[in-house]
Amino acid sequence: MICSPGTGVPGDDYRPGMPAAVETYSLGAPVPLGEIEQELKKLWHDGKGAMTRASLMNLAVYSEQPGSLQRNTRLMAQITENHACRALVIEADCNANEDHVSAWISAHCHVSSVGSKQVCSEQISFLLKGRCTTQLPNIVLSNLDSDLPLYLWWQEDFRESIDSQLWTWVDRVIYDSHGWRDFRSQMRLLELMRQEANCRIVLCDLNWTRLDNLRFALAQFFDHPASHHRLSKINRLRIDFAPGFRSTAILFVGWLAAQLKWQVNEVKSAHELRFIGASERHIDVELRERNGQPVHEIVLTSGDVEFRVTYAHCGDLLEVSRTQREIRHPQLMPAGNNDPVGLISEELIRGGPHHIYLNALNCIRDLL
Amino acid sequence: MNRTADQPEPNPLREGLAARPVPQPCNIVIFGATGDLTHRKLVPALYNLAADGELPPDVVIVGFARRDKSDDQFRSDLEESTRQFSRQPVRDEMWNTFAQSIFYHRSEFGDEGGYKRLAKRLDEIDKTHGTRGNRLFYLAAGPDQFEPILKNLKAAGLNQTCKGSWARVIIEKPFGTDLASARDLNRVVRNSFTEEQTFRIDHFLGKETAQNILVLRFANAIFSPLWNRHYIDQVQITAAETLGVGTRAGYYESAGALRDMVQNHLIQLLCLVAMEPPTDLSADSIRNEKVKVVRSLRRWSRSEIAANVVRAQYTKGAIHGEPVTGYREEQNVNPESQTETFVALRLFIDNWRWADVPVYMRVGKRLPKSATEISVHFKKAPPVLFNKDLRDLNVLVIRIQPDEGISLRIHAKVPGTSFRIEPVKMDFHYGTSFGKPSPEAYERLLLDAMGGDATLFARSDEVEQAWAFIDPIEEAWHGKKDAPELYFYPAGSWGPEAADDLLARDGRAWRRL
């Protein structure tokens, strides 16, 4: 098989040289595969104005959706505002008749938070066609910014046929289990992949990241030691979720179950569950499908106290309240963004291993 | 950093969500609530914490001051200043919720009845707002008010709490004006609050890069073997500002640069650079190591002070091309003032790690640029091969402000057929690498105090040891006989020539900033 290092069609608004200040969302200049590093050097050399190249990681994004190169380039332009990286944007067309690889280089420049200096992240875009898609590890690994971690954002379902060599290089694999049709088989593949990488890869599920601010908002109710006893008295949980986000709601339940040592006792229906707590107390869980945010309201009842986390009217704030004997003090907290840029940014800021996620997953694996 | 003894058992739902002691619901009582610090720093910092979701919802702010004001008036004043000074734009809906938890309590600082009324009010707030009996008292009033405030807090029983609650006090600098007054202040504080309840704030320690010094030193194995007298030639610490005395003349005239900056901020930075690795990251482990550094600072005789410390005052000059007046011409400054606006010191830390490594410190107002930086100058490589003619040393620079970051100067061959070697700089900028802006120092420190983490606060022995080092210098300067000379420097220069001579005598020079 010959994978020709083609020079693909440049982005619609391609301009030679590096953008000085304006973010164009262009794929940039087409480059031969073997000359990417040299062309990147030229790009920086020819750049105008005071620019600083910055990179904290290699952030690769892989998709098989037609048009994903442009879409992901837009996302990268926004992500790099806060996370300097070398972006590797890859679109694969596995069903193409021809075997062909095209590559482009570009830069995303933003004015830094201090002063007027422009901070730029470089992007290498690849369009893989036909059997060249099997060359993914080869292409990614030969274009990494050295000594920096590799975060791979996988926008497709995982398959068994992916070259295991890739996983040995990946530090964090980012995916969104919300879109999975077969949760169990996907998890099995992910776990296999982790084993191949000696469990070194951190699994970053954006479906879990979606819950970060909600978990934070609920957790703060129990910070004071005087509230701890409420945790063992929880008897009811209601979660309202948007159509298609049942798995997100279930993950939230899994988190509570793992942290509070609950076990599944009875699955009454897809929307009614019963857990049993450490003190043999039953916890009834109701999952309600409603239009709104992926998970837009959580109500936890512990005896005569109700803890509520719900989206405020303005949408990007959470209203948290604790009600006891009809006395209620609502407060606002940030809700974070549920769009891909917000979720990826949250994930990149947080870092660290996600053992809490794995514990949560183990508790509700059979419910998904 | 680590959980302290008075910290409760962790909340299981917090696991993985917070890598720091979780701030507790509390009443924050600010004494001096109508002052600049409250309006410019404290309330904007608390608002930012709330907007970022870092502040527990059950936090109430009670402003305590003498002026007559209603809760609404106080909220309105704070809204105006927060809109002006907040790190992030103020959102109406967020402010409205935040402001519901702000109250004003009018009282004289010396009026015992005012504190009893405060105690009653805090009890009521505990019931209505879930603040759980936790109290954080912030002394943002003038230092002359500390004693009556602390005494009255005790008299009203506000220094004590019921089981499971806490009371803490945050004290703003100056922590005394000399060793005797610092001891006196510590005694006054101890009469009302234990050391564990006392948080002496030094906002320099809340800065991102100051905290990063420990990470740089103890999370990067490459520096550890080099961080000693065998490889380090000298350390320089510079805190320069272009501003003059401004509106602070009343305080500054009696303080001067040595008391205002060196005794606290610069010595704290030096401690972070010079301390031994702590046994763990608990507040006391870190502060134990810091205080050892201060205790190891070489004390001087009067004649040695003249040789190792330079004091100076700015005269008229220009900053960024604009003419500025001299210090003695500033408003509320004595026309014959002997107050120093610039100090340069040559210090030695007499311990195993740092013996004979000079530490040069300088701090000054009306200098050509504003910058606080620490530079660690490494010794020369052996004078063979490339190093016969090299003059520049390898220098590691830690920039505290502005443009927080770290740079390392190394030598590189200039491209070409000749063998010319020049210094080049490897540069790390927080603002470039991390898009997210750093929180203000006060945000971090307030959160730590609410979480009971005293790591970034000064302990009484640190403060007293620092004064024990500073006092002989002040005494020498203000002695009747043989007082070292007060030098003068034009505004916009890097200080008097005598400051350069301090290093020139050792064959060294101040780093060019």
Side-chain angles (χ1 to χ4, degrees):
Chain A
M1 183 182 71
I2 299 167
C3 286
S4 57
T7 51
V9 184
D12 298 339
D13 45 1
Y14 164 63
R15 294 168 204 166
M18 185 149 62
V22 182
E23 181 54 75
T24 63
Y25 302 129
S26 163
L27 292 183
V31 289
L33 263 193
E35 292 172 25
I36 288 174
E37 283 298 336
Q38 296 93 308
E39 292 298 322
L40 279 172
K41 272 183 200 151
K42 272 195 221 166
L43 189 72
W44 295 109
H45 185 259
D46 297 343
K48 296 179 181 71
M51 285 175 293
T52 302
R53 184 178 75 102
S55 187
L56 290 178
M57 73 194 107
N58 295 285
L59 178 57
V61 52
Y62 175 85
S63 172
E64 292 171 6
Q65 295 295 314
S68 66
L69 272 187
Q70 279 76 15
R71 195 183 65 241
N72 282 326
T73 297
R74 263 172 217 279
L75 295 181
M76 284 297 183
Q78 295 170 66
I79 291 165
T80 53
E81 278 186 38
N82 288 314
H83 304 280
C85 63
R86 173 176 282 191
L88 300 154
V89 179
I90 303 149
E91 180 181 321
D93 179 1
C94 304
N95 300 320
N97 294 327
E98 54 169 341
D99 300 333
H100 189 80
V101 180
S102 310
W104 298 264
I105 56 168
S106 59
H108 301 292
C109 294
H110 311 279
V111 176
S112 75
S113 57
V114 286
S116 57
K117 188 165 51 184
Q118 279 198 73
V119 180
C120 300
S121 291
E122 56 200 10
Q123 176 176 315
I124 311 170
S125 311
F126 298 99
L127 179 59
L128 317 182
K129 287 188 171 176
R131 284 177 294 172
C132 287
T133 54
T134 59
Q135 295 293 302
L136 175 67
N138 179 290
I139 287 166
V140 170
L141 303 184
S142 58
N143 286 289
L144 297 180
D145 203 347
S146 55
D147 297 316
L148 293 175
L150 170 59
Y151 295 179
L152 176 59
W153 181 9
W154 192 264
Q155 295 180 337
E156 296 300 318
D157 275 8
F158 293 101
R159 293 187 303 267
E160 296 208 23
S161 58
I162 301 166
D163 188 339
S164 60
Q165 191 197 359
L166 179 65
W167 305 122
T168 58
W169 281 72
V170 174
D171 294 275
R172 302 176 87 82
V173 60
I174 303 169
Y175 54 93
D176 193 344
S177 68
H178 150 249
W180 287 351
R181 286 178 292 274
D182 183 347
F183 193 92
R184 283 185 219 181
S185 72
Q186 286 294 296
M187 260 336 280
R188 188 181 55 77
L189 285 170
L190 260 178
E191 280 161 355
L192 270 176
M193 176 189 91
R194 263 189 105 218
Q195 280 169 18
E196 279 167 3
N198 293 325
C199 296
R200 203 180 56 87
I201 300 181
V202 177
L203 305 185
C204 307
D205 186 350
L206 297 182
N207 208 19
W208 175 250
T209 313
R210 255 179 213 106
L211 298 172
D212 274 6
N213 286 283
L214 294 161
R215 289 195 297 132
F216 195 89
L218 191 71
Q220 54 81 28
F221 285 122
F222 305 98
D223 282 337
H224 196 276
S227 301
H228 286 186
H229 72 103
R230 293 273 169 209
L231 291 169
S232 59
K233 292 180 185 161
I234 294 170
N235 55 331
R236 200 173 149 68
L237 168 66
R238 198 194 78 221
I239 300 179
D240 288 359
F241 65 93
F245 285 91
R246 182 178 175 274
S247 65
T248 320
I250 289 281
L251 262 180
F252 194 91
V253 178
W255 168 62
L256 286 171
Q259 296 309 110
L260 302 177
K261 313 271 186 281
W262 299 349
Q263 287 182 332
V264 181
N265 180 245
E266 190 183 349
V267 181
K268 294 179 180 173
S269 70
H271 297 291
E272 277 185 284
L273 312 167
R274 174 169 275 188
F275 284 78
I276 189 160
S279 54
E280 303 295 315
R281 178 183 287 271
H282 285 134
I283 302 108
D284 289 316
V285 177
E286 184 188 1
L287 305 170
R288 296 198 315 193
E289 193 172 297
R290 297 273 191 281
N291 286 327
Q293 299 285 344
V295 169
H296 50 98
E297 183 163 86
I298 295 154
V299 182
L300 195 67
T301 311
S302 172
D304 61 343
V305 185
E306 186 186 87
F307 302 95
R308 184 185 295 263
V309 178
T310 187
Y311 270 80
H313 293 302
C314 45
D316 60 346
L317 293 172
L318 292 173
E319 189 180 294
V320 295
S321 61
R322 178 183 192 276
T323 309
Q324 187 172 20
R325 293 182 210 104
E326 297 186 2
I327 300 171
R328 185 167 164 264
H329 289 291
Q331 294 282 343
L332 294 177
M333 298 181 79
N337 289 322
N338 273 314
D339 60 77
V341 174
L343 291 173
I344 287 281
S345 293
E346 178 74 23
E347 188 54 53
L348 297 178
I349 285 170
R350 204 171 46 148
H354 290 342
H355 61 277
I356 307 290
Y357 164 67
L358 296 175
N359 294 344
L361 211 54
N362 284 333
C363 282
I364 43 84
R365 198 175 279 256
D366 295 335
L367 301 174
L368 287 164
Chain B
M1 297 185 174
N2 281 4
R3 197 157 67 88
T4 55
D6 68 339
Q7 284 290 300
E9 281 299 306
N11 166 5
L13 299 185
R14 278 284 183 181
E15 194 182 352
L17 282 174
R20 43 172 298 130
V22 176
Q24 300 281 311
C26 61
N27 271 300
I28 302 175
V29 183
I30 304 175
F31 292 92
T34 52
D36 253 15
L37 183 68
T38 306
H39 284 77
R40 286 169 176 264
K41 295 287 181 189
L42 301 182
V43 173
L46 289 165
Y47 171 79
N48 281 315
L49 289 172
D52 287 346
E54 300 271 12
L55 201 65
D58 300 330
V59 166
V60 168
I61 302 165
V62 179
F64 186 117
R66 288 174 282 215
R67 285 181 216 168
D68 212 5
K69 231 178 248 262
S70 66
D71 287 342
D72 282 341
Q73 212 176 339
F74 184 50
R75 288 170 189 154
S76 165
D77 292 350
L78 290 177
E79 181 178 356
E80 194 183 325
S81 54
T82 303
R83 285 188 188 279
Q84 195 180 346
F85 298 112
S86 167
R87 170 170 62 80
Q88 55 187 309
V90 172
R91 289 182 59 174
D92 292 343
E93 56 272 58
M94 183 57 90
W95 174 264
N96 292 339
T97 316
F98 176 73
Q100 282 171 20
S101 301
I102 298 178
F103 300 95
Y104 186 75
H105 186 81
R106 202 211 76 78
S107 173
E108 296 293 325
F109 293 131
D111 174 16
E112 203 177 317
Y115 293 78
K116 288 191 175 145
R117 289 195 302 278
L118 174 69
K120 206 172 158 196
R121 195 163 184 192
L122 295 181
D123 286 343
E124 282 163 14
I125 291 172
D126 284 340
K127 284 180 200 148
T128 55
H129 286 73
T131 41
R132 309 274 183 185
N134 293 332
R135 278 97 202 245
L136 181 62
F137 300 106
Y138 200 115
L139 272 53
D144 53 328
Q145 300 297 335
F146 288 179
E147 186 159 2
I149 294 171
L150 291 163
K151 271 185 181 166
N152 283 317
L153 283 173
K154 186 182 178 187
L158 285 165
N159 59 336
Q160 290 179 337
T161 52
C162 52
K163 193 169 178 285
S165 304
W166 48 258
R168 295 175 189 140
V169 62
I170 300 182
I171 301 175
E172 268 286 336
K173 72 162 196 172
F175 314 123
T177 53
D178 54 19
L179 178 58
S181 60
R183 280 183 175 153
D184 202 40
L185 176 61
N186 282 337
R187 183 186 49 75
V188 168
V189 174
R190 262 196 302 272
N191 281 340
S192 302
F193 292 91
T194 63
E195 183 63 33
E196 288 70 34
Q197 290 177 292
T198 307
F199 292 70
R200 294 173 191 81
I201 203 162
D202 183 332
H203 70 269
F204 260 54
L205 294 182
K207 290 184 182 295
E208 204 71 59
T209 324
Q211 296 165 49
N212 198 36
I213 294 171
L214 294 186
V215 177
L216 175 80
R217 288 189 56 199
F218 302 128
N220 295 289
I222 53 166
F223 296 117
S224 180
L226 307 179
W227 212 263
N228 57 51
R229 62 192 298 273
H230 301 298
Y231 295 96
I232 292 177
D233 174 70
Q234 53 164 315
V235 176
Q236 293 188 13
I237 303 179
T238 299
E241 57 181 332
T242 54
L243 293 174
V245 71
T247 56
R248 294 176 70 218
Y251 159 74
Y252 202 85
E253 267 286 87
S254 61
L258 189 69
R259 286 186 175 123
D260 184 46
M261 291 291 290
V262 178
Q263 186 273 339
N264 37 62
H265 304 321
L266 266 61
I267 286 184
Q268 285 290 337
L269 291 180
L270 174 64
C271 287
L272 294 175
V273 171
M275 65 187 261
E276 294 298 316
T279 49
D280 55 45
L281 293 176
S282 68
D284 271 338
S285 294
I286 290 176
R287 296 190 298 182
N288 286 345
E289 297 307 331
K290 278 165 61 192
V291 78
K292 285 181 198 166
V293 175
V294 194
R295 284 172 55 193
S296 305
L297 285 174
R298 186 181 297 172
R299 271 41 170 184
W300 294 305
S301 66
R302 190 164 281 216
S303 61
E304 286 170 327
I305 287 170
N308 290 291
V309 187
V310 170
R311 60 172 176 154
Q313 193 183 78
Y314 65 83
T315 56
K316 68 178 180 184
I319 296 289
H320 303 314
E322 293 291 324
V324 293
T325 58
Y327 179 71
R328 289 177 176 179
E329 288 80 59
E330 300 269 19
Q331 205 175 2
N332 299 327
V333 170
N334 179 350
E336 291 176 6
S337 172
Q338 294 291 304
T339 301
E340 80 284 358
T341 59
F342 176 98
V343 189
L345 305 98
R346 177 173 171 269
L347 315 174
F348 288 94
I349 303 166
D350 288 332
N351 66 16
W352 196 262
R353 183 186 288 267
W354 294 106
D356 298 329
V357 178
V359 177
Y360 302 103
M361 269 185 191
R362 63 178 162 170
V363 55
K365 288 189 173 297
R366 288 288 190 223
L367 299 186
K369 66 194 270 192
S370 291
T372 301
E373 300 193 359
I374 300 164
S375 54
V376 178
H377 301 242
F378 292 91
K379 288 186 174 172
K380 281 185 179 176
V384 291
L385 304 177
F386 308 119
N387 301 307
K388 286 176 190 160
D389 303 318
L390 289 186
R391 284 180 305 163
D392 297 307
L393 303 170
N394 296 128
V395 181
L396 178 74
V397 176
I398 302 164
R399 292 186 302 274
I400 306 292
Q401 63 180 18
D403 192 15
E404 298 169 319
I406 294 167
S407 70
L408 179 64
R409 187 170 70 186
I410 57 173
H411 292 109
K413 178 187 172 297
V414 177
T417 49
S418 68
F419 221 98
R420 192 158 70 87
I421 294 174
E422 289 291 339
V424 292
K425 204 160 81 168
M426 296 162 65
D427 226 346
F428 157 66
H429 299 257
Y430 266 87
T432 302
S433 295
F434 303 106
K436 190 184 174 195
S438 299
E440 289 282 327
Y442 277 98
E443 294 175 33
R444 167 68 199 249
L445 295 170
L446 281 164
L447 217 49
D448 281 359
M450 280 184 258
D453 185 349
T455 308
L456 300 178
F457 295 84
R459 207 168 55 186
S460 60
D461 53 347
E462 286 180 77
V463 172
E464 290 181 14
Q465 286 294 334
W467 280 121
F469 172 74
I470 295 292
D471 272 5
I473 304 172
E474 288 284 352
E475 281 162 23
W477 285 353
H478 299 106
K480 290 200 174 112
K481 255 176 58 183
D482 305 328
E485 189 177 348
L486 173 70
Y487 294 94
F488 295 92
Y489 62 99
S493 71
W494 278 108
E497 273 181 32
D500 298 333
D501 294 343
L502 202 63
L503 279 75
R505 288 203 302 269
D506 296 339
R508 299 184 176 98
W510 290 108
R511 195 172 69 84
R512 193 181 306 148
L513 265 79

